[in-house]
Amino acid sequence: MLAACRDFFAVRDVLEVETPILSRAGATDPNIQSLRLADDSGPARFLNTSPEFAMKRLIAAGAGDIFQIARAFREGERGRLHNPEFSLLEWYRGGFAIVDLMKEVAALLGVLLKRPEVAEQAVFLSYGALFEEHLNLNPHAADVKALLRCLDDSQVAIPQGENDKDVLLDLIMSSVLLPALDAERLCFIYDYPISQAALAKAHPQNPRLARRFEAIMGGMELANGFEELDDPLEQRARFESDRRRRAETGAPQMPIDEFLLAALAQGLGECSGVAVGLDRVLMLAINASHIDEVLSFPVTRC
Amino acid sequence: MASYSTNEFRSGLKILLDGDPCAIVENEFVKPGKGQAFNRVKIRNLKTGRVVDKTFRSGESVEAADVHDTELQYLYSDGEFWHFMDPQTFTQYQADAAAAGAAAQWLKGEELCLITLWNEVPLIVEAPKFVELTISQTDPGVRGDTAQGGVKPATLETGAVVKVPLFVEEGEVIKVDTRSGDYVSRARD
């Protein structure tokens, strides 16, 4: 599979790169926890939760289209589809809009799964349309009460006292909608709420939406992509809002990656990027039901 | 009070939920890549036996329940409580009717039972899997009916009623499976 990835990008003139796994900055995203190196001698160091920031710095420095097969680390993520150490295939394309990148992801998955029809039959649905179609609910307009009722109707237990809209949307997504999608079909969900934009640009016509997409198949998220936010001021504002959110939930604060902000100030250019969870693609390819089946040694055995 | 983070969740873990001791039956970690992580769990309430679904935000903590299993010897019942003793320390424990539950009907004295203690008070009493008890009353079987494998009710010395084959008679000692309440065989002398 790794060789197939490299062939795929070689013919497309996308350059393979390697970036450091250790960094002085951690992930500020409130839902992603960095693993920290326990070393008192110098400044704190964190293991990458994704190679995204380093790759964007390369692009700002003029690297052009690049890809990387990288190990990423996320504290506390362990389950049927999660191992704290996992493999990401991440790439960036200058001048691509998310629709172009979604098509490229589909083509890649068709190759990796050795099922060309996966690419041809891929479904494209906006986040809003997905909710409308399956639940008859407008996720952007719905209030907390409507979301609670929707979960209740779907017989999903709700965390006690939960009243955060994005948390409830996440719960509906992972517990109601993902299992409801045709497992045999590749499905792209795009135009997420701006509150879940992470590092995506806002939609040019509708500022409540973000140009972010996910690829879903077999009830699993296989990929997450953005039309990349390239405005250093907006990026700093999002980092700061992440930090406020972390302060509210009591999550550890992470140093902001000033190198990334400097690179954005230098100029990233119009580009889109995506990360594919290679372990999960391999799960699909061999029809595995647990991530441990595709890892040499899962975290419990190393 | 000790507590567990959702990271420590695994089946069998004992936690306190709304003041009741519960055991985790199943634990599933779900997380949208960029979203909130959840632990969706099935939990058995140890008091009622009922299994419910619960969802926790990952990283939350829940109180641990001081629940453990131990083998105790049954002593006697005073009608309200069933009394047990730890054969090593001679500490005595009393189980109420809710805890003794269905196990009570199989107990006559001195047998070792698996007891689930919550804060050192019996919560669940499990009778030995097989018990041997004397039949105190049963109607005589009618000769000839045995071919059909027919059964009849028999009252045991503890008061429990089980279905026994027609050939089994009053005063005999029989072996019973307490999990199903089924007759197994005559007890060997």
Side-chain angles (χ1 to χ4, degrees), chain A residues 4-279:
Chain A
C5 292
R6 294 192 161 103
D7 288 346
F8 183 90
F9 290 111
V11 299
R12 285 169 174 76
D13 274 332
V14 181
L15 180 72
E16 179 164 12
V17 297
E18 280 191 336
T19 54
I21 285 173
L22 270 182
S23 163
R24 242 175 283 175
T28 57
D29 189 315
N31 290 317
I32 296 179
Q33 310 309 336
S34 302
L35 278 161
R36 182 198 175 106
L37 247 65
D39 176 5
D40 302 331
S41 59
R45 302 269 171 180
F46 302 92
L47 289 173
N48 253 348
T49 58
S50 107
E52 178 152 8
F53 291 1
M55 290 180 80
K56 283 182 176 170
R57 287 167 62 192
L58 286 180
I59 296 166
D65 290 348
I66 51 175
F67 82 97
Q68 176 166 201
I69 295 169
R71 283 303 172 91
F73 302 82
R74 294 184 187 174
E75 159 115 72
E77 300 195 4
R78 176 68 179 145
R80 192 173 72 79
L81 303 175
H82 294 85
N83 192 60
E85 174 177 356
F86 60 104
S87 294
L88 278 180
L89 165 61
E90 180 145 338
W91 76 95
Y92 291 83
R93 296 290 245 150
F96 268 41
I98 52 170
V99 57
D100 308 312
L101 194 57
M102 286 193 280
K103 284 183 185 153
E104 194 163 69
V105 171
L108 173 85
L109 291 173
V111 171
L112 296 187
L113 297 171
K114 300 196 176 85
R115 289 167 59 187
E117 78 280 5
V118 163
E120 290 148 23
Q121 296 165 358
V123 184
F124 298 83
L125 261 181
S126 73
Y127 188 89
L130 174 70
F131 277 73
E132 295 275 5
E133 196 172 288
H134 288 269
L135 301 166
N136 201 20
L137 181 84
N138 178 337
H140 308 296
D143 58 7
V144 164
K145 229 159 115 190
L147 299 180
L148 288 172
R149 197 176 327 120
C150 165
L151 282 164
D152 209 41
D153 290 346
S154 309
Q155 296 177 334
V156 174
I158 299 157
Q160 207 166 11
E162 187 61 70
N163 59 10
D164 182 304
K165 183 170 172 182
D166 284 311
V167 169
L168 293 172
L169 286 173
D170 284 341
L171 189 55
I172 293 175
M173 188 59 128
S174 56
S175 300
V176 183
L177 293 172
L178 290 200
L181 288 172
D182 181 350
E184 284 301 308
R185 214 163 231 228
L186 175 61
C187 181
F188 288 92
I189 316 287
Y190 60 92
D191 286 356
Y192 276 67
I194 192 75
S195 54
Q196 301 180 19
L199 302 157
K201 250 187 195 164
H203 193 291
Q205 276 89 49
N206 185 348
R208 291 192 308 160
L209 302 180
R211 308 250 55 187
R212 167 182 164 205
F213 72 89
E214 293 217 347
I216 317 280
M217 197 172 165
M220 299 185 279
E221 295 172 19
L222 297 181
N224 179 72
F226 309 127
E227 221 165 284
E228 301 295 344
L229 178 64
D230 60 349
D231 175 349
L233 296 177
E234 169 66 17
Q235 184 64 70
R236 185 179 290 280
R238 288 198 197 169
F239 280 157
E240 295 296 346
S241 115
D242 282 352
R243 287 171 63 88
R244 278 195 297 279
R245 198 85 212 235
R246 280 180 167 264
E248 280 165 27
T249 59
Q253 287 297 355
M254 288 294 140
I256 286 176
D257 192 336
E258 295 292 343
F259 290 119
L260 173 72
L261 292 171
L264 293 183
Q266 184 83 29
L268 182 68
E270 300 273 318
C271 70
S272 290
V274 62
V276 171
L278 283 181
D279 308 293

